[in-house]
C-alpha cells in the first residue's frame, strides 16, 4: 500500500511539474504580447526658451503657440536668471499653460565673465540669456537632440516637423540660411538688412581675414536651432564659441558692426560650412526689423514659424503683424507684464 501511495505521489508531482514546464512558454508569450501591445513610448521633444526680465510675455506666447499646435510630447526647458524664475513659474502655473511639461533652469551669468565687450551699439543684446544657446549641453543633460528658440518667435506648425529636421553626419546643428527664402529678399533690400558675413564680422581685422571666409558668404540666423548634443560636445562647440568671445573682447572683431551680432557672430565663425539647414518656412524672420515693412498675409499664413528679430517687438509699439503674435499671448496673472499699444 505504501509503495502504491508513494507511486501515486511521484506521479502527481511529475504531472504538476509537467504542467508548469509546459505553461512557461505560454506565460512568456503572454508577457511579450503585453509588453508589445502598448504603443511605443512617444519620443520627448525638448524645446529651450529663455524667459528674460521685461519680456517674459514673449516666452509665454512662444510656449503657448507650440503647445496649441502639436500633439507631440514636448518638454519645455525655460531658462531664466535667479530673479526672474519665480515670476515665470507662477505665470505658467496660474494660466492654461499649467498642463504643459516644463522644467525651469537657472542660468548663471558668471560663466560670461570676461567674455563680453560692453560697447555694443545695442546694449540689450548683451543680456546674459542671449548666450544661453552657447551652453545647451550644460543646461540640457539627457537629450540627444534639442530645439532652441528665441523668445520673440511663435510657432504656427507642428513642432514635431521641426524636430524631425535631418542633421548631416558630423553636424552639431541646423540653422536657416539668410539667403534661403526668396520671399524675404525684397524686405532685406528695402530696410538695409545684412545677410552676409560682411554684416557681422569686421574684415579690417587680420584675425577675421585669416579665417578665409568670403565676406559675401551668406549668413545664418541662430534664433532657431536644431542641435545634436553628442556632436556639440564631441566638437567642443561651447569652448570654440567662448574662444571667439574672448578674442572679441581683446580685438573687437564684431561687436560694433552693422549686424549687432554679439551672439550671432561667434556662431557664424564656429559653424561656418559645418551645419545643416532648416526648412525656410520653419524660420520666417525679420518681422521686427522695421515698424512699417510687412509681409503678405497669405505668406504669413503659410509660414510654420515667425520671428520678430530686430528692434520692433510685437509686445511693444510700434511693430508689425502684432495680431498674429497676440493671438498666442496669455495675460500675466500678476499684472506685472503689460503690452504696449497705441491706446495704452
Amino acid at each position: 500500500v505504501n509503495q502504491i501511495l508513494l507511486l501515486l505521489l511521484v506521479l502527481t508531482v511529475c504531472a504538476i511539474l509537467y504542467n508548469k514546464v509546459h505553461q512557461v512558454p505560454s506565460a512568456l508569450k503572454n508577457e511579450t504580447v503585453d509588453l508589445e501591445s502598448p504603443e511605443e513610448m512617444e519620443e520627448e521633444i525638448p524645446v529651450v526658451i529663455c524667459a528674460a526680465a521685461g519680456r517674459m510675455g514673449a516666452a509665454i506666447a512662444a510656449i503657448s503657440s507650440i503647445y496649441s499646435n502639436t500633439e507631440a510630447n514636448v518638454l519645455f526647458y525655460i531658462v531664466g536668471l535667479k530673479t526672474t524664475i519665480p515670476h515665470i513659474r507662477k505665470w505658467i502655473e496660474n494660466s492654461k499653460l499649467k498642463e504643459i511639461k516644463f522644467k525651469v533652469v537657472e542660468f548663471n551669468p558668471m560663466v560670461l565673465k570676461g567674455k563680453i565687450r560692453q560697447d555694443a551699439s545695442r546694449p540689450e543684446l548683451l543680456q546674459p540669456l542671449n548666450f544661453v544657446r552657447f551652453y545647451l549641453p550644460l543646461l540640457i543633460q539627457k537629450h540627444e537632440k534639442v530645439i532652441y528658440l528665441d523668445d520673440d518667435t511663435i510657432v504656427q506648425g507642428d513642432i514635431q516637423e521641426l524636430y524631425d529636421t535631418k542633421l548631416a553626419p558630423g553636424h552639431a546643428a541646423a540653422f536657416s540660411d539668410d539667403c534661403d527664402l526668396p520671399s524675404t529678399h525684397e524686405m532685406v533690400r528695402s530696410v538695409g538688412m545684412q545677410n552676409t558675413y560682411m554684416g557681422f564680422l569686421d574684415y579690417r581685422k587680420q584675425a577675421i581675414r585669416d579665417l578665409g571666409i568670403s565676406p559675401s558668404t551668406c549668413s545664418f540666423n541662430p534664433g532657431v536651432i536644431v542641435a545634436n548634443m553628442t556632436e556639440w560636445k564631441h566638437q567642443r562647440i561651447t569652448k570654440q564659441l567662448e574662444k571667439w568671445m574672448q578674442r572679441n573682447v581683446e580685438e573687437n572683431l564684431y561687436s560694433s558692426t552693422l549686424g549687432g551680432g554679439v551672439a550671432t557672430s561667434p556662431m557664424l565663425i564656429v559653424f561656418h560650412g559645418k551645419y545643416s539647414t532648416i526648412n525656410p518656412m520653419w524660420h520666417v524672420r525679420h518681422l521686427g526689423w522695421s515698424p512699417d515693412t510687412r509681409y503678405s498675409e497669405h505668406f504669413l499664413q503659410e509660414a510654420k514659424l515667425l520671428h520678430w528679430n530686430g528692434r520692433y517687438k510685437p509686445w511693444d509699439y510700434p511693430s508689425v503683424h502684432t495680431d498674429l503674435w497676440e493671438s498666442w499671448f496669455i495675460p500675466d496673472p500678476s499684472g506685472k507684464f503689460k503690452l504696449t499699444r497705441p491706446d495704452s
Side-chain angles (χ1 to χ4, degrees):
V1 173
N2 288 341
Q3 287 178 341
I4 292 171
L5 289 174
L6 182 61
L7 180 61
L8 289 173
L9 179 62
V10 170
L11 289 172
T12 303
V13 170
C14 289
I16 292 170
L17 289 174
Y18 178 87
N19 286 336
K20 285 191 174 294
V21 168
H22 282 264
Q23 284 173 359
V24 168
S26 176
L28 285 176
K29 185 177 180 182
N30 289 338
E31 281 185 22
T32 304
V33 170
D34 290 340
L35 289 171
E36 291 179 349
S37 58
E39 293 181 5
E40 287 185 15
M41 185 67 72
E42 199 175 8
E43 186 173 8
E44 210 166 51
I45 298 179
V47 178
V48 179
I49 296 178
C50 295
R55 49 192 290 163
M56 279 190 217
I60 290 292
I63 293 167
S64 172
S65 70
I66 295 167
Y67 180 63
S68 301
N69 285 307
T70 188
E71 296 294 326
N73 182 22
V74 180
L75 173 59
F76 293 97
Y77 284 86
I78 303 167
V79 186
L81 302 180
K82 188 174 184 178
T83 54
T84 61
I85 284 175
H87 186 185
I88 194 73
R89 185 186 292 278
K90 188 173 293 187
W91 197 332
I92 290 170
E93 291 175 349
N94 289 280
S95 72
K96 66 180 183 181
L97 293 180
K98 62 187 176 185
E99 303 297 329
I100 69 170
K101 289 172 59 179
F102 74 100
K103 293 183 180 181
V104 176
V105 182
E106 181 182 342
F107 183 68
N108 184 355
M110 289 305 294
V111 300
L112 302 173
K113 188 174 181 181
K115 301 183 182 75
I116 305 175
R117 291 183 65 89
Q118 297 301 316
D119 64 344
S121 58
R122 291 176 61 189
E124 74 273 16
L125 294 177
L126 298 177
Q127 295 300 317
L129 295 182
N130 275 331
F131 301 92
V132 161
R133 70 198 91 188
F134 289 14
Y135 297 94
L136 292 177
L138 303 181
L139 298 167
I140 314 301
Q141 300 291 337
K142 67 172 185 172
H143 301 283
E144 168 75 8
K145 198 175 186 182
V146 172
I147 293 173
Y148 166 88
L149 299 180
D150 275 354
D151 61 357
D152 51 358
T153 59
I154 61 164
V155 172
Q156 301 186 134
D158 186 340
I159 198 72
Q160 181 76 54
E161 291 180 31
L162 181 60
Y163 185 75
D164 290 340
T165 298
K166 302 295 184 187
L167 273 67
H171 286 176
F175 307 98
S176 291
D177 279 326
D178 284 329
C179 310
D180 64 3
L181 201 57
S183 305
T184 68
H185 292 175
E186 184 178 343
M187 179 181 281
V188 169
R189 287 192 296 271
S190 68
V191 297
M193 281 183 290
Q194 298 298 310
N195 62 359
T196 66
Y197 274 57
M198 175 66 84
F200 293 89
L201 306 179
D202 189 348
Y203 276 84
R204 296 171 299 178
K205 301 297 173 66
Q206 188 62 44
I208 297 301
R209 294 198 299 272
D210 287 346
L211 290 169
I213 302 173
S214 168
S216 62
T217 300
C218 187
S219 54
F220 59 79
N221 186 300
V224 177
I225 307 172
V226 181
N228 180 309
M229 294 292 93
T230 301
E231 279 295 335
W232 193 293
K233 289 181 279 192
H234 175 69
Q235 297 179 32
R236 299 170 63 83
I237 296 294
T238 297
K239 288 294 183 185
Q240 292 187 59
L241 292 167
E242 288 184 325
K243 181 189 87 170
W244 284 102
M245 292 170 75
Q246 288 166 332
R247 288 198 67 174
N248 183 58
V249 169
E250 299 160 4
E251 304 172 51
N252 194 17
L253 301 176
Y254 54 75
S255 62
S256 298
T257 56
L258 246 179
V262 287
T264 298
S265 297
M267 299 196 86
L268 291 177
I269 295 171
V270 170
F271 283 100
H272 174 254
K274 295 185 293 185
Y275 65 91
S276 299
T277 55
I278 291 171
N279 180 333
M281 296 306 286
W282 267 101
H283 193 178
V284 173
R285 45 209 179 277
H286 313 317
L287 277 76
W289 201 268
S290 164
D292 306 307
T293 309
R294 304 173 67 92
Y295 287 116
S296 76
E297 292 302 322
H298 174 73
F299 175 66
L300 292 177
Q301 287 170 7
E302 295 293 314
K304 304 288 190 178
L305 182 148
L306 303 177
H307 187 186
W308 279 261
N309 57 310
R311 296 174 185 267
Y312 303 98
K313 304 301 186 186
W315 54 90
D316 282 334
Y317 181 83
S319 59
V320 295
H321 304 298
T322 53
D323 55 324
L324 292 173
W325 180 88
E326 199 168 334
S327 65
W328 302 111
F329 174 69
I330 299 170
D332 182 0
S334 73
K336 294 177 184 176
F337 182 94
K338 293 182 173 65
L339 302 181
T340 303
R341 294 293 181 254
D343 54 353
S344 62

